[in-house]
Amino acid sequence: MNAETRTAAKDFVGWLLVSALLFAGAAAFRLPLRNVAAVVVVFLSIRLVELLVAGFDLPRQLVRIYPGVLLALGGIYLAVTGESPALAAFCAFAAGWMLRGDLPPLWRDRGDSTS
């Protein structure tokens, strides 16, 4: 286990502890656990991707694009369920902004412009 994997594992365990504290706080204040669970799942999944990238020597680009992909999926979910169109639009905008530099361009300048 290299140093990067150990650091990613420690971060993941740390987020597990933070998640437990979030659930305990939400239960103590009688807040809806559904909202807390959504936030916890997102942050834990990001840390899990970091751990998988470090452990299996996957491309680091996965760590950079994963939050943008999560935002895009969240925006699609909100748009399909019709819960919050404004939040769905914001998620789509934020996902596009996060992914703009990490995804390959859909078109390339071939140098054959007519101007």
Side-chain angles (χ1 to χ4, degrees), residues 15-42:
W15 274 103
L16 281 174
L17 294 174
V18 168
S19 300
L21 289 174
L22 283 173
F23 275 117
F29 290 111
R30 297 177 194 257
L31 298 174
L33 293 181
R34 179 179 176 211
N35 298 339
V36 176
V39 171
V40 166
V41 166
V42 166

Side-chain angles (χ1 to χ4, degrees), residues 5 14 17-18 23 26 37-38 45 55 59-61 64 74 98 107:
T5 306
L17 294 174
V18 168
F23 275 117
S45 67
R60 293 288 307 160
Q61 188 177 13
R64 289 193 312 265
M98 291 176 77
W107 61 87

Side-chain angles (χ1 to χ4, degrees), residues 9-81:
K10 287 179 186 177
D11 287 347
F12 184 72
V13 170
W15 274 103
L16 281 174
L17 294 174
V18 168
S19 300
L21 289 174
L22 283 173
F23 275 117
F29 290 111
R30 297 177 194 257
L31 298 174
L33 293 181
R34 179 179 176 211
N35 298 339
V36 176
V39 171
V40 166
V41 166
V42 166
F43 281 113
L44 282 179
S45 67
I46 290 171
R47 295 300 176 191
L48 182 61
V49 166
E50 288 179 355
L51 180 61
L52 292 174
V53 165
F56 293 109
D57 200 27
L58 299 172
R60 293 288 307 160
Q61 188 177 13
L62 290 175
V63 174
R64 289 193 312 265
I65 67 170
Y66 187 70
V69 170
L70 278 180
L71 268 174
L73 291 174
I76 291 169
Y77 171 78
L78 290 171
V80 168
T81 59

